[in-house]
Amino acid sequence: MRPQQGASPRRMRGRAADGPAAAWPGGLRRLPERAGQFARGHRAVVGNAVRVTTASCLAFHLCRYGLDRTVMAVYATFTVVSLGALARIPGSGRQRAATVLTAVPAGLLLVTLGTLLAVRTWAAVLGMLVVGFLVAYAGTTGPRIAGAAPGMQLLYILPCFPPYAPDTLGQRLLGFLTGAVLLAAAQRFLMPEPDTPPFRRLLAGAAEAAADLAGYHGGPVPEPVLARARAAADALRPARIPPADLPAAPSLAHKAMAHAAEAVRTLLNRLGALHTAAGPYRAYRPETTALLRAVRDAARETAAALRRGTRLPPGEGPRAGPLQSELAPVRTHRALDTLGRLSADDRLNYLRRRSLVVQAADAAVVLVLATRLLLGDRDVDRDPAGHAFAYARAHAAELWWRRLTAHLTPRSVIFQNACRFALGLAAARAVAGLLDLQHGFWVLLATLTLTRTTSLETRSAVRQALLGTLIGAVLAGGLLAVVHDRGAVYAVLLPLVMLLAFTAGPLRGLAWAQGGFTLVVAVLFAQVAPVTWQLAPVRLEDVLAGSLIGLVCGLAAWPRGAAPEVRRNMAAVCQAVADGIGRTTALVADRAGAAGTCSDGGGGILALNRALLLAQESLAQYQSEPRERTARQPDWPAVLVAGADARRGERLLPGRPGRIAPYAVGAWLRQAAEDTAAGYRATARHLRSGHGTPEALPRPLDLGALLAVAPPVPPAGAAPPARADSAALLVDSVIWLDALTADLARIHREM
């Protein structure tokens, strides 16, 4: 099982020839883009092959012929191969080199453990079970660690086999260090992958685009400004960001960057919707114009601070206070009074436009606070709008612990993958030890590289691997029989065979990779100890054993892959949305509990966040697995959007001033919320059952009934502030429920 780092050149070549339906008319326009992706993919594969070949050959020849240390030579070479070819470390040359060097302490520990636990088969198997799970599960902490995990597994696998030789531990550790340093140098200086724009720069560009868009509060917005805003929002989509640059780690800085990205994308979306809305009532009131100017100024200050990137001195940087001062008059605007003077056809349009302005300002406030937190200000949680930054004062250990424990559930695909890996590798180590197989680590290597997330994909991988290994074994046997013990010939052939294997494998598929690697190990081991042509059938035997173990594990441990978990986790999101609607409505309508807090101490938000995290992970794996394309699937991203909308309302609405009154208005809001929540609960039941048809959608919000029970707002100056606050709170609650109802309708359309 390998981490999915995007389409391979082979897959992109297949997608570029999907037929007339894909090529016309949009396909023709995308041909230059696809050609560029194809060329970049080939350059990346060739560059990585050159780096791995250079570093591994240099390490092997230095240790084997320069220092005459065969054990050191083997470990140096396999370190380069494991972290450079088997692993899929994402990022630029600088980032990959940093990841390799960061992994050095863990690598030293793994080599030491493998050496010491090789004393008994049972000890090695138990160590493989624990190490296999922990290394695979560590991928929860970010794409770089997840990409390095397969290679790190090999650092324990290689030394955990007989002979038990603790006296060679020094050579093994020196070999590992040599290989890691040479690989890091090659990644950094030899045909390095180009640097990508830092995530902070993308945030700054999006904030500048939002400032330009907010600067237009009268008249049409030029199309270039709208296009730039759309491009800036699209650039922050996780699918568009290189994995190494994603703020996916549980550190405070990454959490603040992710929070800022969500806020600025919401800001761009709301401003874009505001300026492109059709129909009447597009004129801006004075307080709305002032608010948009404040949004513009705050976005520009935020962009400037992000581009500087330095720690904020006390009292400097973007501030949320001026923006909140301009937001107050818009919140207290006589919304219901204005609504009562409109025709029935215009009421919802007015509500939505007014809410778009308020939501844009709220997003701008969150963007400012997240930026301040990113630049070192941990006092943002003391801001009146900082209740969403409860993690600001958490210790680093607490943040990492939350992330690591979030996936300790059988419903997590990361937990499932870690268990599948650990069981497969432990079983392979037990078989290799009990049967005393020659080069038993090849059995584990085959299990490691051929195990997939579905039994169907595992069977396909095993067929390709056996075919490639068979062809490679025949060629390797012939080569060993002809060349025999001429070491100089093997020394010359090693870089050529490595370059061919590490280039053809990623470009041509698994069969080529296994066949090429069979040639590599034959040429390599011929220089370490005397070998005969019989090494080739031993390699085939070990790969066959490892393939069978991987196939059995694929059939026994969650053989259907992520498909069942997607439905279960999306059902959990729908249930969490329904619960969030109930909690938020209780706080808004009844003021149950303290204002601005959840009655469950924040557990509701944590439950929704956990459900969204598991759903996102399972969806990402599901999309990487082969499946029947004709099968109709729900619109899973729409479920995630609904979860984000529910979370946004639960964070913002309870902290608003005011109270829904009189009783009739509160009863209307509670009933509307219950109808929407019931729709999400019914959707959750349908997703869990997996059959039948979903229950009927809730009725659209009856605004006429709301106006019938809502008292008119007195003229300007006659209404107390509390009355105006309550009116604004009611209007924003209605818009929030309307958005969740629209999300539910979108989900049902695809069911």
Side-chain angles (χ1 to χ4, degrees):
M1 216 166 11
R2 289 183 175 179
Q4 300 293 326
Q5 302 296 341
S8 67
R10 185 180 184 185
R11 288 185 178 180
M12 285 186 286
R13 182 170 64 251
R15 291 174 185 170
D18 285 337
W24 180 264
L28 290 177
R29 292 193 298 269
R30 297 185 61 187
L31 280 178
E33 177 185 352
R34 289 177 173 175
Q37 292 174 346
F38 181 77
R40 287 193 297 272
H42 275 68
R43 285 197 299 270
V45 168
V46 173
N48 190 63
V50 170
R51 290 190 293 272
V52 173
T53 299
T54 302
S56 57
C57 289
L58 182 60
F60 182 80
H61 286 83
L62 173 65
C63 298
R64 174 66 181 88
Y65 299 110
L67 302 177
D68 194 23
R69 295 289 188 269
T70 56
V71 174
M72 185 176 174
V74 170
Y75 277 78
T77 305
F78 271 90
T79 296
V80 176
V81 172
S82 63
L83 295 179
L86 180 61
R88 290 291 183 267
I89 300 176
S92 64
R94 187 190 305 273
Q95 291 170 323
R96 292 184 180 187
T99 302
V100 171
L101 294 179
T102 303
V104 164
L108 293 173
L109 176 62
L110 292 175
V111 172
T112 303
L113 282 176
T115 300
L116 299 180
L117 293 179
V119 61
R120 294 286 187 273
T121 296
W122 67 264
V125 171
L126 183 60
M128 190 70 261
L129 185 66
V130 175
V131 169
F133 178 84
L134 292 179
V135 173
Y137 189 79
T140 60
T141 57
R144 294 194 196 181
I145 296 178
M152 298 297 290
Q153 300 273 17
L154 192 60
L155 298 180
Y156 175 85
I157 292 173
L158 183 60
C160 80
F161 283 91
Y164 173 62
D167 54 305
T168 64
L169 179 59
Q171 280 198 57
R172 295 178 176 186
L173 295 178
L174 286 175
F176 164 73
L177 286 173
T178 301
V181 170
L182 288 176
L183 177 61
Q187 297 281 20
R188 179 64 184 88
F189 300 109
L190 185 60
M191 299 176 63
E193 292 295 313
D195 291 333
T196 53
F199 193 80
R200 293 188 185 188
R201 189 184 302 173
L202 296 178
L203 286 176
E208 290 170 348
D212 292 342
L213 199 55
Y216 291 90
H217 33 72
V221 181
E223 181 58 33
V225 176
L226 287 172
R228 183 188 176 197
R230 287 192 292 266
D234 189 64
L236 285 174
R237 291 175 56 193
R240 296 282 187 179
I241 301 171
D245 297 324
L246 275 173
S251 64
L252 185 65
H254 275 219
K255 290 181 72 69
M257 280 193 285
H259 209 156
E262 180 184 356
V264 76
R265 289 187 65 194
T266 302
L267 174 60
L268 288 167
N269 178 274
R270 299 304 185 264
L271 290 174
L274 178 68
H275 289 303
T276 56
Y281 303 104
R282 295 188 62 180
Y284 296 96
R285 297 176 56 87
E287 63 270 17
T288 306
T289 301
L291 178 58
L292 289 174
R293 289 198 184 103
V295 169
R296 176 198 61 193
D297 296 340
R300 285 180 178 169
E301 292 173 1
T302 300
L306 287 169
R307 290 201 181 278
R308 286 195 303 270
T310 56
R311 189 177 182 86
L312 287 177
E316 296 186 16
R319 289 286 178 180
L323 182 56
Q324 291 167 322
S325 299
E326 298 296 342
L327 182 57
V330 179
R331 288 200 194 283
T332 58
H333 174 54
R334 298 188 310 279
L336 292 178
D337 183 44
T338 302
L339 188 64
R341 297 195 299 268
L342 299 178
S343 66
D345 293 337
D346 294 331
R347 289 169 183 167
L348 190 56
N349 287 335
Y350 167 78
L351 286 174
R352 283 175 174 159
R353 290 195 181 93
R354 179 190 173 279
S355 183
L356 285 173
V357 176
V358 174
Q359 290 178 46
D362 282 333
V365 170
V366 174
L367 173 62
V368 169
L369 296 178
T371 300
R372 293 194 63 84
L373 177 58
L374 175 61
L375 299 180
D377 182 7
R378 286 203 168 198
D379 294 330
V380 296
D381 61 323
R382 297 177 179 175
D383 189 275
H387 54 275
F389 293 88
Y391 62 87
R393 295 184 178 275
H395 295 291
E398 181 182 356
L399 295 176
W400 282 82
W401 178 252
R402 289 179 186 174
R403 173 66 62 83
L404 289 172
T405 56
H407 289 275
L408 284 177
T409 168
R411 299 279 72 87
S412 168
V413 293
I414 293 180
F415 179 84
Q416 293 177 3
N417 292 342
C419 289
R420 188 186 291 113
F421 262 127
L423 293 173
L425 293 176
R429 179 61 184 88
V431 169
L434 294 175
L435 299 182
D436 195 22
L437 297 177
Q438 276 188 288
H439 301 291
F441 77 94
W442 287 346
V443 179
L444 275 80
L445 183 59
T447 303
L448 177 67
T449 56
L450 299 181
T451 303
R452 298 293 190 267
T453 58
T454 66
S455 58
L456 176 65
E457 194 177 5
T458 301
R459 288 196 298 269
S460 175
V462 167
R463 285 196 301 268
Q464 296 180 56
L466 291 178
L467 175 61
T469 304
L470 176 61
I471 297 174
V474 172
L475 295 177
L479 177 66
L480 294 174
V482 172
V483 179
H484 194 47
D485 58 353
R486 300 180 181 88
V489 177
Y490 295 121
V492 172
L493 286 178
L494 182 61
L496 300 177
V497 173
M498 277 191 168
L499 185 61
L500 175 63
F502 297 142
T503 302
L507 292 178
R508 303 299 302 175
L510 186 57
W512 286 76
Q514 289 292 329
F517 192 71
T518 300
L519 284 172
V520 168
V521 296
V523 174
L524 181 69
F525 278 87
Q527 300 177 71
V528 173
V531 295
T532 66
W533 64 269
Q534 294 175 338
L535 179 68
V538 169
R539 161 74 178 166
L540 180 61
E541 173 187 318
D542 290 340
V543 171
L544 177 60
S547 300
L548 292 177
I549 294 171
L551 186 59
V552 170
C553 289
L555 291 172
W558 298 282
R560 296 176 59 194
E565 299 311 322
V566 169
R567 299 189 72 89
R568 292 192 188 98
N569 291 330
M570 293 298 177
V573 171
C574 290
Q575 184 64 50
V577 169
D579 295 342
I581 291 173
R583 285 190 303 269
T584 305
T585 305
L587 286 168
V588 170
D590 304 328
R591 286 306 183 195
T597 63
C598 291
S599 58
D600 59 359
I605 284 283
L606 293 178
L608 181 55
N609 285 337
R610 179 182 173 85
L612 282 171
L613 177 65
L614 295 178
Q616 289 165 350
E617 293 289 352
S618 59
L619 180 60
Q621 178 167 307
Y622 174 74
Q623 291 173 333
S624 71
E625 295 173 351
R627 61 186 183 277
E628 181 58 49
R629 299 292 178 179
T630 60
R632 185 177 179 84
Q633 295 291 337
D635 187 356
W636 299 128
V639 179
L640 300 179
V641 169
D645 286 341
R647 180 175 58 187
R648 189 177 301 113
E650 193 167 359
R651 281 175 173 173
L652 297 177
L653 291 177
R656 300 280 183 83
R659 180 177 181 180
I660 303 300
Y663 175 78
V665 178
W668 180 92
L669 183 62
R670 284 190 292 271
Q671 184 59 51
E674 179 55 34
D675 289 345
T676 304
Y680 278 99
R681 292 191 189 98
T683 303
R685 289 193 296 270
H686 170 72
L687 291 176
R688 291 192 189 101
S689 65
H691 55 78
T693 57
E695 300 177 28
L697 283 170
R699 297 184 302 273
L701 301 185
D702 187 357
L703 296 177
L706 170 61
L707 293 176
V709 298
V713 177
R723 180 75 173 278
D725 288 343
S726 298
L729 178 62
L730 174 61
V731 170
D732 290 335
S733 300
V734 170
I735 292 300
W736 175 65
L737 282 177
D738 181 66
L740 287 170
T741 306
D743 292 337
L744 185 58
R746 180 182 169 192
I747 296 169
H748 275 239
R749 280 197 298 269
E750 299 297 327
M751 286 180 143

